[in-house]
Amino acid sequence: MAAPEYVPQPAIQRVRSYSSPPRRPKSWTAQRPGDIHGPQPRGDLFGYPGPDQGYVFVLARRFEGRLRLAAGEHEEDAIAGCVAVALKRASLSGRAPVVNDLTVAFTLWGFLGEAPDALVEFRRPLFAEVSNPLHYAEQRYVADRVPDDVVLMSPQEATEAFRSHLNL
């Protein structure tokens, strides 16, 4: 803020420049109560943490209107359940989500093509109301139903496995 005109100022003012703060004697270490020491814990409802996971919702918009849903199924439930599977795939690979993560998830659950009646009957109760934010445990259950080795398949391998397993 400029000083009022009636305040006397020196004829030559000293120019301010950047100066770094004083050096810390030791490096910083986290010592907060919530810090994790050791590897990421695993277990029920811990999920699969990974980098930039929110980007999966940008990718999921590409599948809106393309999913094959049976009677009584809702697109937002299918997307929410498969997002959990896609995030599992991305985090097991140690990276942010990509479109292939969602492609594999939707393929494995039969939302990208004709799904047999047995799969539809199996997935219908699993995906029911899973888009509700209060149903986190149900989202985790959908993701945990897909084994790690299956979720890490390429989209082509997932499609071939889906077709051969279901004799399509």
Side-chain angles (χ1 to χ4, degrees):
M1 185 167 125
E5 292 180 12
Y6 60 84
V7 175
Q9 296 180 2
I12 299 176
Q13 292 185 354
R14 196 172 157 183
V15 179
R16 291 189 306 174
S17 62
Y18 174 79
S19 63
S20 63
R23 188 174 185 290
R24 294 182 60 94
K26 295 191 275 185
S27 65
W28 179 84
T29 58
Q31 296 176 352
R32 300 170 295 188
D35 288 337
I36 296 174
H37 301 286
Q40 180 72 30
R42 302 195 91 176
D44 291 342
L45 301 180
F46 275 113
Y48 299 93
D52 199 18
Q53 291 191 332
Y55 184 61
V56 77
F57 294 109
V58 173
L59 298 171
R61 294 184 133 213
R62 297 179 183 183
F63 291 90
E64 289 178 351
R66 293 180 39 202
L67 303 180
R68 295 223 175 143
L69 304 168
E73 293 182 324
H74 302 283
E75 186 175 62
E76 60 270 8
D77 292 331
I79 290 174
C82 289
V83 156
V85 176
L87 289 177
K88 176 181 179 177
R89 183 176 191 264
S91 66
L92 288 174
S93 301
R95 57 170 169 70
V98 294
V99 74
N100 284 342
D101 297 329
L102 284 163
T103 303
V104 168
F106 286 124
T107 299
L108 293 174
W109 285 108
F111 288 113
L112 290 182
E114 290 297 324
D117 294 337
L119 177 60
V120 171
E121 292 304 315
F122 178 74
R123 77 182 183 201
R124 188 176 285 138
L126 288 176
F127 282 82
E129 297 295 323
V130 81
S131 63
N132 185 325
L134 299 176
H135 291 198
Y136 177 75
E138 287 79 3
Q139 288 178 5
R140 296 277 26 102
Y141 187 69
V142 169
D144 291 339
R145 297 293 296 168
V146 183
D148 292 356
D149 58 331
V150 174
V151 82
L152 290 173
M153 291 180 176
S154 71
Q156 295 78 16
E157 291 172 336
T159 302
E160 291 170 12
F162 180 77
R163 288 184 178 169
S164 66
H165 182 70
L166 300 174
N167 298 322
L168 295 176

